[in-house]
Amino acid sequence: MPEPRAADPDAISQAARLLKAGELVAFPTETVYGLGADARSDEAVASIFATKNRPSFNPLIAHFAEVAQARQEVLFDERAEKLAEAFWPGPLTLVLPRREGCRISLLCSAGLDSQAVRLPSHPVARALLAECGIPLAAPSANLFGRISPTLAQHVAEGMGDRVAMILDGGACEVGVESTVVELLEGPARLLRPGAITLADLERVIGPLKARLSGPITAPGMLESHYAPQAAVRLEAEHVGPEEALLAFGPRPLEGAAVTENLSPSGDLLEAAAHLFAALHRLDATGAPAIAVMPIPDEGLGLAINDRLARAAAPRPVEAFAESN
Ligand code: AMP
Ligand code: MG
């Protein structure tokens, strides 16, 4: 199992190489240790969810070295520019509209048309991001349901055997996750409180809408979660000629108007990587229904089935405790 490695320039170069090759590297930020992966790679982002044992997909923050890189992927309005100017690099995350042609994996957005972005201030995170030159998706480097790691040793104990490398940059200064602000249409909204306070934010852009009620969560995203126009039919054992088929495995059902196979070889990581893009493509065909073949309820299959169940039976907004 990899021991944490002191984040000297050599270790940082090696970490950057691993990340560019699609591997996972844990690294320090000023908030908590992040489990980093190439944010543009569907497979690398899928492996984050697999590594964390997360039974559902939540949108992940893409981390950048420079604001200019973030501007290439998401749309900054005037409020976003002001907040970036005031608090970046630092523990503030902005949820912004994805640009046309955004290269960040749709899995990183959990299928939404918004993407969360941040420029961390920790010198090791900054050096690593500068060296790789790619955006890094990086949720907290803990297993699902465990507390967030603020020391490299916490990461080693929790998931040391599951990552290619752990960069040790000492204790995280802030120790709680970044403040998350949504800047989409309408008023700015605080989705998650953090080290940058509401008062700090309001000094820069004026009043924000309060976050939704309930525990500190990811609920902001549930409300707007991508739901296909088409009806979604799960556990399909046959498919009609007007239906679109979301297939899985080597024997896709025959007779559908159009088929997307999440993984012909039956690989759950590959299936997770392709899930959102495949749903979008099938929905865009205008088919009245999407039939979904059974997907094993194990490993990443849990997260895939959770997402498909929501698509099949849209639920009202519901708050849940953040525990990823
Ligand atoms: P973490 O990566 O653990 O710091 O958590 C990321 C948090 O950012 C999630 O829990 C969400 O609350 C929030 N978030 C990220 N992306 C989005 C998005 N596109 N829409 C709404 N909330 C988001
Ligand atoms: Mg977390």
Side-chain angles (χ1 to χ4, degrees):
M1 127 173 172
E3 284 298 308
R5 239 178 101 181
D8 56 33
D10 261 7
I12 289 173
S13 309
Q14 197 191 333
R17 276 196 301 277
L18 289 165
L19 286 162
K20 283 193 278 191
E23 304 272 349
L24 300 187
V25 171
F27 64 94
T29 78
E30 68 277 22
T31 59
V32 300
Y33 272 75
L35 178 62
D38 182 350
R40 302 164 315 174
S41 160
D42 293 327
E43 281 77 13
V45 175
S47 65
I48 287 180
F49 290 102
T51 299
K52 285 178 68 93
N53 279 343
R54 209 174 197 289
S56 58
F57 296 120
N58 61 331
L60 305 179
I61 300 167
H63 297 73
F64 295 84
E66 303 296 336
V67 190
Q69 293 173 310
R71 283 200 200 97
Q72 291 180 1
E73 313 298 345
V74 288
L75 285 166
F76 281 66
D77 63 9
E78 210 185 311
R79 302 167 299 179
E81 291 292 354
K82 282 186 180 161
L83 290 173
E85 172 72 29
F87 301 113
W88 280 357
L92 174 67
T93 295
L94 302 178
V95 173
L96 301 175
R98 289 172 67 97
R99 270 185 189 279
E100 184 90 26
C102 175
R103 287 165 295 183
I104 311 279
S105 167
L106 263 185
L107 190 56
C108 203
S109 291
L112 299 169
D113 45 22
S114 59
Q115 173 62 51
V117 295
R118 174 161 101 88
L119 257 67
S121 63
H122 194 291
V124 172
R126 283 183 64 70
L128 179 63
L129 285 160
E131 177 103 16
C132 349
I134 54 174
L136 296 179
S140 49
N142 53 295
L143 297 179
F144 178 71
R146 304 290 175 76
I147 56 170
S148 296
T150 51
L151 287 175
Q153 201 53 41
H154 296 159
V155 183
E157 285 158 13
M159 52 169 57
D161 53 346
R162 295 163 171 241
V163 296
M165 190 169 167
I166 301 169
L167 279 177
D168 190 346
C172 300
E173 223 174 274
V174 177
V176 294
E177 276 94 345
S178 58
T179 304
V180 180
V181 176
E182 181 189 82
L183 295 170
L184 302 175
E185 274 162 38
R189 192 160 67 158
L190 182 64
L191 295 185
R192 181 171 76 185
I196 309 276
T197 66
L198 186 60
D200 294 335
L201 298 166
E202 292 190 332
R203 260 195 300 279
V204 178
I205 56 165
L208 271 77
K209 229 170 118 184
R211 71 180 164 84
L212 301 178
S213 56
I216 312 308
T217 62
M221 62 203 189
L222 268 193
E223 191 180 36
S224 51
H225 234 306
Y226 167 72
Q229 300 286 308
V232 174
R233 189 164 68 76
L234 302 177
E235 306 283 330
E237 284 169 357
H238 58 87
V239 62
E242 296 193 335
E243 286 183 311
L245 176 68
L246 191 65
F248 177 80
R251 284 179 297 280
L253 297 171
E254 280 172 26
V258 51
T259 296
E260 288 275 347
N261 196 334
L262 289 176
S263 172
S265 67
D267 178 69
L268 289 168
L269 187 95
E270 184 184 26
H274 297 155
L275 176 65
F276 289 107
L279 275 175
H280 274 279
R281 281 194 298 266
L282 289 180
D283 207 22
T285 66
I290 299 174
V292 182
M293 288 176 64
I295 291 166
D297 227 358
E298 65 198 27
L300 269 179
L302 292 169
I304 296 171
N305 285 328
D306 170 78
R307 187 64 199 89
L308 289 169
R310 288 172 197 275
R315 293 195 243 158
V317 180
E318 133 196 349
F320 55 86
E322 165 72 10
S323 56
N324 68 15

